[in-house]
Amino acid sequence: MTIPSGSRLGPYEILAPVGAGGMGEVYRARDPRLGRDVAIKVLPASFSADADRLRRFEQEARAAGVLNHPNITAVFDIGEHDGAPYVVQELLEGETLRQALSGGRLAPRRAIDYGIQIARGLAAAHEKGIVHRDLKPENIFVTKDGRLKILDFGLASWRPLDAAEREQTESGHDPAGENRLTALPTVDIPLTEPGMILGTIGYMSPEQVRGKPADARSDLFSFGAILYEMLAGQRPFRGDSAADTMSAILREDPPDISETNQSVPPGLDRIVRHCLEKTPEQRFQTARDLAFDLEALSGISTARRPLDHSGSTPRARTRILGLALLAVLALAGAAFWLGRRSGAGPIPAIRQLTFRRGTVHGARFTPDGQTIVFAAAWDGKPLTVFSVRSGSHDPSAVGVPAGADVLAISPSGELALQLGMYLVEPYVSTGTLAVASAGGSEAPRERMQAVQWADWSPDGKRLAVVRDAGGRNRLESPVGKVLYESAGWIGNPRFSPAGDVIAFLDHWGRNGDLGSVVIVDLTGHAKNLSEGWSSIQGLAWWPDGKEIWFTGTKGGGNRSLYSVTPSGDLRLVYRQTGSLTLSDISPRKEVLIADEDLRLGIVGRAPGESLERDLSWLDFSALRDISPDGRLILFDEASEGGGDEGSVFLRKTDGSPPVRLGSGYSMSLTSDGKSVLAGSGRDSHTLRLLPVGAGEPRSIATVPFRVAWANWVPDGKSILVAGGEAGHGARLYAVGVHGGPAKPVSAEGVHLIPYANAIAPDGSSVAAIGADGTVSLFPTRGGEPRRIPGLAAGELPTGWDTSGRYLFVYRPGELPARVFRLEVATGAREPWKELLPSDPTGVTFIRPPHFAGDGGSYAYSYARSLSRIFVAKDFR
């Protein structure tokens, strides 16, 4: 069946045929609603009666539809036309990897780049419980800009995993010895049965050849076969017949790649052979680990030394490390640090310090530089303080209470801890400052409440602390003497080696980590050294006091390692594909740094449904609002996937693909769902209107201060804005949607609750944070606030029910997040929900959840940070 150009399939207009295959015909089509071209795969109506073919078609659509990753083809829609089912996908321009290989083998650098992208796509699929099972060059597409896309999930096996199953999948351990990923939620599909061979001969794993169940490690074998072919120019397993090829897969090792390509680095050859092990237990156990090792080789193959002070042109240098498994680990570690650097000097020596799955928080060297003390939350367990000797891989717990974080270590070796830590903002925690011995022989001595950061002077005689007071975030040293104030938040204060200056990061908003590097002397004289960073965290002084090192990024991308002098001279020290956070630098010039995989996801429950659904899209899906009927969520992509300015999306809670509304960042959705209130990624003083339907984005107000947060007032005629004019503390302003000046409606020191929409349904009041840190109801037209009875200390309101009688409240930083329904008039409260993703490992906080109607439908964002600490030395 050929569909003529100009025909319509549902809302889509057929433009031209693209190709045909065993799973149907593919057409280029136009979606007039969004003004974009798409690809439509149509299963001919004559094949619809073929249950197996129809099952595979539905399987492909459903499997790909739950995946949102730049290296997997996006599925937008499914439908049926004249009895023929179809699936709508993103339109790709380029060629298949099979076509790309028609000219022969690829250069190692290109093969590594392609391999990294495939591994990342597989990691995303495997983490959703999806195994492809038919990976081959024909099912990998190379776009014109060099991005790889995994295609055709027609043989994939899938079902959502619970936490225990996900842990087993990620570790590669399947105690039952059988494939648990065999059925779709709505279709009974016994895809893996004993004796059934699925896949493509030449790329099948040994377990597939034997007709045994295939898990994620089977895809890694197929990946190894593809990587071998990219490097060698021929398949690793070949025979005169299908039976001969299958026999080779089961019993033979492929020829050495060096027989056809002597330029392949030994480390890359070892990775290929590790993928092609005959038994799954001997292969890489996760695609994420495989991607990490390939990224390390990417650094080796294109190694450029970090920039020195002269800023001269980088030059390449390749280094091959030793043999065997330990050498592979050493190779990965060294490559982790090979960035841009010119001029003479040694390559940093690297060793990995932590290996367990979870999140590392505060970490410091002891004064002698021989021991590292750090706090980590591993395998979903509470935050625990550990210590480990340099060169050891066996940390031991320090005898301090669970949940404590490490803030600093004094010259005499005492620990400054944050006890009872909870998050007041996404990146800011507060708790009780306490002091304990590094050995944990005595109970910590509590020193001060509500401290966010702390550091000791080099002589150990004074502390610098950061805390909120008077509606501002303050850096004090000694305690009580204010050296610097910010309307946003101050992070990572560190005394200089001489003790006369404190360097820190000043983040101008309360809802993110945009900021600057600032120094202040002990008289309060401050100097901004480097500003305009879109993400900046982690700071330490180089031991000679001539440079301040920090990790940050400008204009999107991952955080990299930089240094700046007190006079403002900036240089790049190291850049890599992952995101870095600097923890400390020892007197011996060793650098303690975390390699982070930080993601923000969304979980929600749609109206009439009993189960939650993952509504994440790309890598940093930040929930902003939910419609009153619970059928739409407003969210942003604020990291790599969002681009330089961020991107605003609207998505149905039934899991349908989202619609991109524009760039910038969003804050609130009108009650009728027709307009979005947004900020500009380039102009923090401007509020914009993004139409959900037809129309163009437009500016609706410009205010004389940076907008910290804003919400629509329910009548849609005005906006409540939080910000601070020069010389004033933060406060609330009313701004008309048709122009006019911003009118203050609260005293100074009042903040809206970021990421929440706590304006009462009738628009008369808003739950906000006062100058004293307590939450009250503030009239939106001005007037005195009134307290909220029954609200416990540390709790924040996240929204109202439709009647306006109840507030939903929770305590930030508490995991799981326990939500209560609080009656505003009486203070009576009842437990409502406990919110936590099914896999809690690495989850650091849950942002304010948004409830619709009476609270039966809801959505929330959660942050997951998986990190490892490395120690590097021999930096210049």
Side-chain angles (χ1 to χ4, degrees):
M1 177 185 71
T2 299
I3 302 176
S5 300
S7 301
R8 300 188 75 87
L9 268 68
Y12 306 101
E13 180 185 356
I14 299 297
L15 300 179
V18 175
M23 287 302 297
E25 299 168 337
V26 182
Y27 296 87
R28 186 186 190 111
R30 183 75 172 170
D31 184 350
R33 300 168 299 176
L34 298 177
R36 67 180 174 189
D37 286 359
V38 296
I40 296 184
K41 181 184 287 189
V42 182
L43 185 66
S46 59
F47 291 167
S48 298
D50 186 329
D52 180 68
R53 190 181 296 269
L54 183 61
R55 169 185 58 78
R56 287 182 56 192
F57 186 85
E58 293 174 342
Q59 171 80 335
E60 178 182 0
R62 292 181 180 275
V66 301
L67 296 173
N68 304 310
H69 192 274
N71 295 120
I72 297 175
T73 306
V75 171
F76 300 140
D77 195 7
I78 58 174
E80 184 177 301
H81 177 74
D82 292 340
Y86 64 82
V87 61
V88 183
Q89 301 174 317
E90 64 177 314
L91 182 67
L92 302 177
E93 304 282 355
E95 61 183 359
T96 66
L97 181 58
R98 170 62 65 211
Q99 293 168 317
L101 291 174
S102 62
R105 64 176 185 256
L106 304 180
R109 181 180 300 180
R110 178 66 59 84
I112 291 172
D113 175 47
Y114 285 2
I116 290 171
Q117 295 189 60
I118 299 169
R120 288 174 177 167
L122 287 176
H126 295 167
E127 287 168 5
K128 294 285 189 181
I130 296 173
V131 182
H132 191 286
R133 302 197 303 177
D134 193 22
L135 204 63
K136 56 187 176 181
E138 290 81 357
N139 284 340
I140 298 170
F141 197 89
V142 185
T143 66
K144 290 183 177 180
D145 62 358
R147 174 168 287 185
L148 267 67
K149 300 275 189 175
I150 300 176
L151 312 173
D152 195 356
F153 281 83
L155 289 183
S157 60
W158 171 64
R159 73 171 170 84
L161 305 180
D162 61 28
E165 291 173 326
R166 186 179 295 106
E167 180 178 356
Q168 291 167 356
T169 299
E170 292 171 349
S171 68
H173 177 58
D174 188 353
E178 58 185 29
N179 183 10
R180 291 164 286 112
L181 314 177
T182 56
L184 290 171
T186 57
V187 185
D188 184 16
I189 304 175
L191 283 177
T192 303
E193 296 177 356
M196 179 184 292
I197 297 177
L198 293 175
T200 299
I201 295 174
Y203 301 94
M204 290 191 296
S205 65
E207 53 268 32
Q208 285 178 292
V209 170
R210 292 189 173 99
K212 292 185 176 182
D215 62 17
R217 295 168 295 181
S218 179
D219 281 350
L220 301 189
F221 185 94
S222 302
F223 171 93
I226 295 169
L227 185 55
Y228 181 100
E229 186 172 352
M230 287 194 284
L231 294 167
Q234 61 187 27
R235 298 184 184 186
F237 305 105
R238 305 180 304 281
D240 295 334
S241 66
D244 291 339
T245 300
M246 289 191 287
S247 178
I249 291 172
L250 293 174
R251 298 177 178 85
E252 299 176 12
D253 291 327
D256 289 341
I257 298 177
S258 60
E259 291 182 8
T260 57
N261 191 348
Q262 295 184 356
S263 65
V264 175
L268 182 55
D269 180 73
R270 286 192 293 272
I271 287 177
V272 173
R273 295 192 176 278
H274 194 28
C275 291
L276 294 176
E277 294 285 357
K278 302 300 183 184
T279 60
E281 292 76 17
Q282 294 178 345
R283 296 175 206 147
F284 285 97
Q285 296 300 289
T286 70
R288 188 172 296 281
D289 289 344
L290 171 58
F292 177 79
D293 278 13
L294 286 171
E295 288 166 357
L297 279 181
S298 177
I300 286 289
S301 64
T302 60
R304 289 175 291 185
R305 304 177 66 79
L307 297 175
D308 67 6
H309 291 282
S310 65
S312 57
T313 304
R315 60 187 176 85
R317 179 180 180 187
T318 302
R319 188 181 189 188
I320 301 175
L321 303 181
L323 302 174
L325 178 59
L326 291 178
V328 173
L329 295 176
L331 178 65
F336 174 87
W337 282 99
L338 289 176
R340 297 176 174 266
R341 186 172 184 154
S342 63
I347 295 175
I350 308 301
R351 65 181 184 273
Q352 186 171 339
L353 188 67
T354 62
F355 296 86
R356 295 172 64 182
R357 184 171 181 265
T359 307
V360 179
H361 289 246
R364 291 288 187 271
F365 287 104
T366 55
D368 63 2
Q370 298 291 328
T371 301
I372 297 98
V373 180
F374 63 95
W378 281 329
D379 305 319
K381 296 178 181 178
L383 194 64
T384 304
V385 177
F386 297 89
S387 68
V388 60
R389 292 288 292 176
S390 180
S392 171
H393 294 144
D394 187 20
S396 58
V398 176
V400 299
D405 198 4
V406 176
L407 296 179
I409 299 181
S410 76
S412 62
E414 287 188 305
L415 303 179
L417 302 172
Q418 190 182 64
L419 304 182
M421 181 195 77
Y422 68 93
L423 289 161
V424 292
E425 308 289 349
Y427 300 102
V428 182
S429 63
T430 190
T432 300
L433 174 65
V435 176
S437 65
S441 57
E442 299 178 356
R445 305 184 306 277
E446 296 185 1
R447 295 281 295 271
M448 187 186 308
Q449 302 291 324
V451 172
Q452 297 168 4
W453 304 87
D455 192 40
W456 257 298
S457 62
D459 60 8
K461 295 181 179 179
R462 63 191 295 170
L463 275 168
V465 300
V466 175
R467 57 178 177 168
D468 285 330
R472 308 278 284 181
N473 201 227
R474 291 178 174 178
L475 172 62
E476 302 176 3
S477 184
V479 175
K481 180 181 179 181
V482 179
L483 299 181
Y484 189 89
E485 290 188 330
S486 174
W489 60 278
I490 297 166
N492 303 100
R494 301 298 295 268
F495 275 99
S496 66
D500 57 342
V501 174
I502 300 173
F504 59 92
L505 303 176
D506 181 15
H507 303 267
W508 60 261
R510 300 289 290 194
N511 58 343
D513 61 345
L514 298 85
S516 307
V517 182
V518 182
I519 57 174
V520 62
D521 63 23
L522 302 185
T523 68
H525 177 70
K527 179 181 179 181
N528 192 329
L529 301 183
S530 184
E531 60 183 357
W533 297 89
S534 55
S535 174
I536 184 169
Q537 296 187 46
L539 179 147
W541 287 83
W542 193 247
D544 62 10
K546 295 180 179 179
E547 287 186 321
I548 301 154
W549 288 32
F550 65 95
T551 36
T553 182
K554 286 190 176 183
N558 295 312
R559 286 195 301 274
S560 301
L561 184 61
Y562 292 85
S563 75
V564 64
T565 66
S567 60
D569 296 328
L570 181 71
R571 72 182 178 99
L572 171 67
V573 177
Y574 169 71
R575 173 177 290 152
Q576 69 156 39
T577 55
S579 195
L580 302 177
T581 301
L582 177 64
S583 296
D584 201 10
I585 301 175
S586 78
R588 304 193 307 166
K589 299 181 180 179
E590 291 189 330
V591 178
L592 187 62
I593 198 163
D595 173 26
E596 290 187 312
D597 179 13
L598 175 62
R599 293 179 177 270
L600 200 64
I602 300 174
V603 170
R605 193 170 83 178
E609 296 188 359
S610 59
L611 298 177
E612 294 180 344
R613 174 183 285 110
D614 191 313
L615 297 171
S616 311
W617 185 235
L618 301 177
D619 59 337
F620 212 77
S621 302
L623 179 70
R624 304 305 197 198
D625 208 351
I626 190 170
S627 62
D629 61 5
R631 300 187 183 278
L632 291 172
I633 59 168
L634 175 69
F635 71 96
D636 297 346
E637 286 295 336
S639 187
E640 276 288 288
D644 291 350
E645 295 184 64
S647 297
V648 179
F649 290 88
L650 201 65
R651 187 175 195 178
K652 293 181 179 179
T653 52
D654 64 5
S656 302
V659 175
R660 185 178 184 274
L661 301 182
S663 62
Y665 61 95
S666 62
M667 292 174 280
S668 184
L669 181 68
T670 53
S671 57
D672 60 9
K674 295 181 178 180
S675 301
V676 168
L677 176 65
S680 169
R682 299 186 182 276
D683 180 3
S684 59
H685 296 258
T686 298
L687 293 168
R688 298 188 303 145
L689 181 73
L690 302 181
V692 171
E696 295 295 324
R698 62 182 177 88
S699 298
I700 54 177
T702 299
V703 295
F705 50 84
R706 288 173 168 173
V707 175
W709 198 250
N711 287 133
W712 286 111
V713 176
D715 62 9
K717 298 179 181 179
S718 61
I719 302 163
L720 199 63
V721 183
E725 298 175 80
H728 294 275
R731 65 168 80 179
L732 304 185
Y733 298 82
V735 177
V737 296
H738 300 297
K743 178 184 176 183
V745 293
S746 77
E748 292 184 21
V750 179
H751 301 274
L752 288 176
I753 300 169
Y755 312 112
N757 191 345
I759 300 180
D762 63 3
S764 62
S765 62
V766 60
I769 303 171
D772 59 357
T774 62
V775 179
S776 301
L777 293 178
F778 291 81
T780 55
R781 297 182 179 179
E784 291 299 315
R786 58 189 178 92
R787 73 178 188 89
I788 303 174
L791 187 68
E795 285 185 333
L796 287 180
T798 70
W800 301 73
D801 79 325
T802 305
S803 70
R805 287 182 58 195
Y806 299 98
L807 274 170
F808 296 105
V809 303
Y810 89 125
R811 187 186 304 275
E814 185 179 60
L815 295 175
R818 295 182 300 160
V819 180
F820 293 84
R821 194 174 74 158
L822 178 67
E823 189 172 28
V824 176
T826 65
R829 50 190 290 142
E830 60 178 332
W832 194 247
K833 301 287 180 189
E834 284 198 1
L835 306 178
L836 186 67
S838 57
D839 176 11
T841 303
V843 174
T844 56
F845 64 84
I846 290 176
R847 284 183 170 177
H850 289 253
F851 291 87
D854 62 359
S857 300
Y858 56 86
Y860 62 91
S861 276
Y862 65 91
R864 189 190 305 277
S865 176
L866 301 177
S867 53
R868 300 165 295 182
I869 282 188
F870 292 79
V871 178
K873 62 181 180 179
D874 297 334
F875 269 109
R876 291 185 60 196

